[in-house]
Amino acid sequence: MKSLILAFQEKKWENYTIPVNGEPVVKLTERRLLMSKRIDEALTVVRKDRLKIYSLYVIKPIPVSAKNKMGALLKALPDEPFFLVEGNMPLVMPFLVNYLVGLFYESEPEALIPVWKDGKAEVTHAVYGPDALRRAIEAALAEGYRGLGKITEFLDYEPVSIEELARRNPKVTLSFFKVRNSFDVRFVEETLKKIEGDPKTRPSS
């Protein structure tokens, strides 16, 4: 399955090139994602005016011009189901990606999205069918929405309980961690030291 890494800067404070262990967070996110046996290609969606910078860091940057993440994603949709992750999620767990992709292929819903107990959906750590997501984004934009989180209102998606998965493996929750500042960087660097070599975090089919 292909994956889209969303590294499209929408707000000024967003930084997908902040260094983690000496390399841009988006590059680390890409590498950990490609550790997943179910992912055979990673495409990174970036602002067109930032293409030269991201070309130094990721394998396949996809430059787009858009006003927001929803618009950027709409222009970069592949023609087959894909796994979406945001470019500041360097603790993405390969075993979890493998599991979610496997669940998607079992029933092939419009989308398969991890959801917290309070109802918050992790829309940038999920599997999507491109046609359904295109319709959802177009409907959300038509309604005046600009936040990517609103797409769940227009999708007939299959939810996956994060808490239930975490009861089997607590490291599941780390996969959703996003780096936004220097404190987050420190946490990720310390966490990576702890999980390296742990068989429970290694990729599996």
Side-chain angles (χ1 to χ4, degrees):
M1 175 177 282
K2 289 184 179 180
S3 177
L4 281 188
I5 300 173
L6 191 57
F8 186 90
Q9 185 181 11
E10 182 176 304
K11 301 177 178 63
K12 290 184 178 180
W13 56 264
E14 292 176 330
N15 186 358
Y16 297 105
T17 60
I18 187 171
V20 177
N21 282 336
E23 62 183 349
V25 64
V26 65
K27 183 176 181 180
L28 180 55
T29 302
E30 178 189 65
R31 185 166 66 247
R32 287 191 57 79
L33 181 63
L34 288 172
M35 290 170 61
S36 306
K37 292 182 179 180
R38 296 275 191 169
I39 301 299
D40 52 33
E41 185 178 28
L43 310 174
T44 304
V45 183
V46 303
R47 298 187 71 93
K48 190 174 182 178
D49 59 0
R50 302 274 288 172
L51 176 59
K52 289 184 178 180
I53 294 174
Y54 282 90
S55 294
L56 300 173
Y57 304 139
V58 298
I59 299 171
K60 292 185 178 181
I62 305 297
V64 298
S65 297
K67 294 181 179 180
N68 49 50
K69 286 183 172 65
M70 276 208 289
L73 187 55
L74 187 61
K75 291 184 177 182
L77 286 177
D79 55 5
E80 59 190 73
F82 66 96
F83 187 88
L84 177 68
V85 67
E86 194 161 0
N88 60 350
M89 303 175 79
L91 295 179
V92 58
M93 294 292 168
F95 73 85
L96 179 58
V97 175
N98 292 336
Y99 180 73
L100 294 176
V101 172
L103 282 182
F104 178 86
Y105 280 136
E106 286 181 8
S107 55
E108 296 189 352
E110 289 190 353
L112 186 140
I113 305 176
V115 179
W116 296 94
K117 187 176 181 180
D118 64 3
K120 179 185 176 183
E122 291 286 353
V123 296
T124 56
H125 198 297
V127 190
Y128 296 94
D131 293 337
L133 184 56
R134 180 178 293 105
R135 292 192 298 269
I137 291 176
E138 290 174 345
L141 290 173
E143 291 291 329
Y145 294 125
R146 295 295 178 266
L148 194 57
K150 288 294 185 178
I151 60 174
T152 56
E153 297 183 17
F154 304 93
L155 279 170
D156 183 18
Y157 69 95
E158 181 178 331
V160 179
S161 170
I162 296 173
E163 281 82 4
E164 288 185 13
L165 294 178
R167 278 195 283 271
R168 286 181 270 172
N169 188 336
K171 291 184 176 66
V172 161
T173 59
L174 294 173
S175 205
F176 305 100
F177 187 81
K178 295 182 178 181
V179 171
R180 296 184 173 90
N181 53 52
S182 58
F183 296 103
D184 295 339
V185 169
R186 191 175 303 116
F187 172 78
V188 169
E189 290 176 341
E190 293 175 353
T191 301
L192 285 173
K193 290 179 182 178
K194 295 177 182 178
I195 66 177
E196 285 178 352
D198 186 339
K200 291 184 179 180
T201 63
R202 292 173 184 166
S204 59
S205 58

